[in-house]
Amino acid sequence: MHVTYWLEHAWLDTFVEPGVAVDVTDGRITAVRKDVTAPPPGAEVLRGLTLPGLANAHSHAFHRALRSTVQVGSGTFWTWREVMYGVASRLTPDTYFDLARAVYAEMALAGVSAVGEFHYLHHAPGGTPYAEPNTMGEALIAAAADAGIRITLLDTAYLASGFGTPPTRHQQRFSDGTADAWAERASLLKDSDHARIGAAIHSVRAVPADQLATVAAWAQTRMAPLHVHLSEQTAENDACLATHGCTPTRLLADHGVLGPRTTGVHNTHLTDEDIALLGGTSTGTCMCPTTERDLADGIGPATRLQKAGSTLSLGSDSHAVIDLLEEARAMELNERLRSRTRGHWTAASLLRAASADGHEALGWRDAGRIEAGAPADLTTIALDSVRTAGPLPRLGAETAVFAASACDVRHTIVAGRHIVRDGVHTSIPDVPGAMAKAITAVYK
């Protein structure tokens, strides 16, 4: 199938270009033509600023059911976690599919074309495996297909509640018992056109040190992405030091976990040595600013990590909001608050973190670019909304990052196919209704 899209304005990695024609055949870009001043005959017109599809590199789909509910009262990350466990305990394969389908549709409405799902809700309540061991993971893969976006299922090893302690009652759903058993189950999952299978270590507190290498080897053998929550909380750092005499980053390094296909999620509370280890091994960093601020985690050293050699990506994590433009904006503005200086990243570099670099972290290495050979994944942002009207179109990258929001996404195209057209999901027209119904079912 062949289609031509005419982009009124397009961000082509560095600059905003007016009048760009993008030829697509069988879901891939075959040509990008600049200086096309009017739509070619038969072309589909995308008015506004078109970016590559955005990559949400860190998601826990079921956390979307916590939105607003966890804002009642105060508390800490650890009290928030208890509420999260309550939601996890109620989910079935059917209700998880319905919820994830709505969540991924919300992502599509926000311009997201690929998601990294950090998946650890593997078994039935009490830890009993389903007859089909990957029923819950397959529900997520099917939900992404229905919502029209790509998914990297980061199947997560989660074996302990803390250093030397077994899973709690709620965490029994997460645990395969050993890393070898996790690997055996995860090996049953297969890639497809819209899905890639990766691995994750939930955290150093959730996978015993002597089993970290098993997960790392599984990912290495398959050349698959490997993600890990890293130093999100100081309590984890303190417990790791008490148990192993080193930081979580050093523990991961000593067991072969770090490397260019590995991404540390959060990387908030790091030592100078930690930063050097992550950068020196080309381990990536996924920042999730809206969740990190919501949970009062702190502000990670993103500028220092990037300078050390750690590529940055972005995720909406707990889905306090789903807006990759806000994640990009928040990373820069958080750093401004901390440093009391401005301009740590250009708008273009922030957009790369939200697109090409996020796709790279998820194993979609040719995605996140508007160029020949790349998947035809596009996101168009209105330049005439109340938020974006006024600036010159050549400042479209700055407008996207520092003024626009998910509400300004007009079109989302994945593999050359319109998933969102004029702000409406093409296969799930009533995403709010689907979301409300799915969340109500979880709390019944």
Side-chain angles (χ1 to χ4, degrees), residues 26-42:
D26 296 332
R28 287 193 172 268
I29 297 172
T30 54
V32 176
R33 294 175 282 133
K34 301 179 185 178
D35 300 319
V36 182
T37 56

Side-chain angles (χ1 to χ4, degrees), residues 300-326:
T303 53
R304 295 179 62 201
L305 282 161
Q306 188 173 56
K307 287 175 183 175
S310 181
T311 301
L312 302 178
S313 56
L314 296 165
S316 62
D317 191 359
S318 68
H319 312 313
V321 296
I322 294 177
D323 188 338
L324 266 289
L325 302 174
E326 172 62 18

Side-chain angles (χ1 to χ4, degrees), residues 112-375:
V112 171
S113 59
V115 60
E117 183 62 36
F118 201 100
H119 167 58
Y120 52 81
L121 191 52
H122 303 305
H123 308 299
T128 302
Y130 288 101
E132 165 48 58
N134 288 302
T135 291
M136 295 295 266
E138 295 289 358
L140 294 166
I141 291 171
D146 261 28
I149 68 173
R150 305 180 194 275
I151 185 171
T152 296
L153 188 75
L154 297 160
D155 196 279
T156 304
Y158 195 138
L159 309 174
S161 64
F163 296 98
T165 55
T168 65
R169 176 173 59 88
H170 288 312
Q171 294 167 339
Q172 287 171 355
R173 293 197 77 173
F174 312 159
S175 178
D176 292 291
T178 67
D180 285 334
W182 165 84
E184 182 178 355
R185 180 187 51 73
S187 295
L188 300 174
L189 291 159
K190 304 300 179 187
D191 291 351
S192 65
D193 288 344
H194 84 288
R196 299 276 169 87
I197 307 303
I201 293 165
H202 179 272
S203 55
V204 294
R205 70 179 184 274
V207 177
D210 61 0
Q211 299 186 60
L212 292 169
T214 299
V215 185
W218 188 95
Q220 174 66 28
T221 298
R222 290 160 178 77
M223 305 291 282
L226 173 62
H227 288 214
V228 54
H229 290 133
L230 181 56
S231 290
E232 181 179 6
Q233 291 287 322
T234 55
E236 178 179 273
N237 289 358
D238 295 342
C240 189
L241 284 165
T243 303
H244 296 291
C246 64
T247 66
T249 302
R250 168 52 70 184
L251 188 68
L252 294 175
D254 289 349
H255 288 83
V257 175
L258 303 185
R261 279 188 301 278
T262 300
T263 297
V265 181
H266 304 302
N267 293 358
T268 307
H269 303 285
L270 303 176
T271 67
D272 292 344
E273 182 194 25
D274 292 340
I275 293 170
L277 278 170
L278 293 168
T281 56
S282 299
T283 300
T285 295
C286 180
M287 304 296 291
C288 305
T290 64
T291 290
E292 289 150 6
R293 72 191 185 195
D294 181 55
L295 297 180
D297 288 342
I299 301 171
T303 53
R304 295 179 62 201
L305 282 161
Q306 188 173 56
K307 287 175 183 175
S310 181
T311 301
L312 302 178
S313 56
L314 296 165
S316 62
D317 191 359
S318 68
H319 312 313
V321 296
I322 294 177
D323 188 338
L324 266 289
L325 302 174
E326 172 62 18
E327 302 293 347
R329 175 162 57 244
M331 188 163 70
E332 166 67 25
L333 298 187
N334 283 353
E335 195 62 34
R336 292 183 185 185
L337 283 173
R338 177 167 55 187
S339 66
R340 291 184 291 174
T341 59
R342 303 174 80 230
H344 301 277
W345 292 278
T346 64
S349 63
L350 292 167
L351 287 177
R352 277 192 292 275
S355 54
D357 292 341
H359 283 94
E360 176 82 15
L362 297 179
W364 300 92
R365 292 180 175 83
D366 56 353
R369 299 171 177 84
I370 302 177
E371 61 183 37

